[in-house]
Amino acid sequence: AERTFGHAAAAVLGQPLAMLLPEALRGRHADHLRAFAASDRLSRRMGERTEIHGLRADGSYFDAEASISHLELDGQVYFTAILRDVSDARAAARALADSEARFRGLAAAAPVGIFLTDAGGGCTYVNDRWCEITGLGAEEELEQRLVAQLAGGLVAR
């Protein structure tokens, strides 16, 4: 937690949890925490419906995933949260999605036939030019796995 949030443990212990949350999320988090404490559920994954973020000591935000559990002991409710910084994973996922979108845009505009197959030889993508060359529709290619057979024939020639 010290590495993730940038606070020394001594500076955080006894302080409200809200100091580790972006200000815009504090009220909503308090509402969710109250509702969770009153529920029959003993644990849940936080951020199931929306992304969550943490606030570092330097004021920067980070993407997070967390799970939370609660326990009532002698009339007092205790919470345990396990949180991890997923900023790098989310940035990588966004970069991959951007790369995929660029590829599909370039492939769609290419004057040559382009197809992709999975490791089993099943067709996962064909561009419009491939369909023009083969005379098959994209759905036919994807459903019938003909691309692998055609590609084998093209390579052998």
Side-chain angles (χ1 to χ4, degrees):
E2 288 179 323
R3 281 192 307 270
T4 300
F5 288 100
H7 292 282
V12 176
L13 292 175
Q15 298 300 313
L17 178 66
M19 72 179 286
L20 303 175
L21 301 172
E23 185 144 351
L25 299 178
R26 291 177 185 171
R28 187 171 41 173
H29 179 267
D31 292 342
H32 287 300
L33 199 57
R34 277 191 292 279
F36 175 62
S39 76
D40 292 336
R41 292 181 70 183
L42 297 178
S43 64
R44 76 175 262 245
R45 184 175 167 271
M46 295 169 60
E48 290 173 335
R49 289 180 223 112
T50 183
E51 290 185 358
I52 61 172
H53 307 279
L55 175 65
R56 291 193 174 95
D58 67 6
S60 64
Y61 298 150
F62 64 93
D63 295 327
E65 285 183 352
S67 61
I68 186 169
S69 61
H70 68 90
L71 170 70
E72 185 173 336
L73 189 61
D74 296 329
Q76 178 70 36
V77 177
Y78 297 91
F79 295 93
T80 301
I82 300 171
L83 179 131
R84 68 184 178 130
D85 181 341
V86 294
S87 300
D88 291 343
R90 288 200 182 143
R94 285 189 295 271
L96 181 60
D98 290 347
S99 176
E100 174 78 10
R102 280 192 304 277
F103 164 78
R104 290 201 184 264
L106 290 169
V112 295
I114 297 175
F115 63 90
L116 297 175
T117 62
D118 60 23
C123 182
T124 60
Y125 172 83
V126 293
N127 70 351
D128 289 343
R129 182 65 182 131
W130 179 263
C131 294
E132 291 170 12
I133 292 168
T134 64
L136 298 171
E139 289 300 317
E140 287 178 288
E141 289 284 4
L142 297 174
E143 289 174 8
Q144 297 178 20
R145 299 176 154 232
L146 293 177
V147 170
Q149 293 170 357
L150 291 171
L154 293 173
V155 172
R157 290 184 189 155

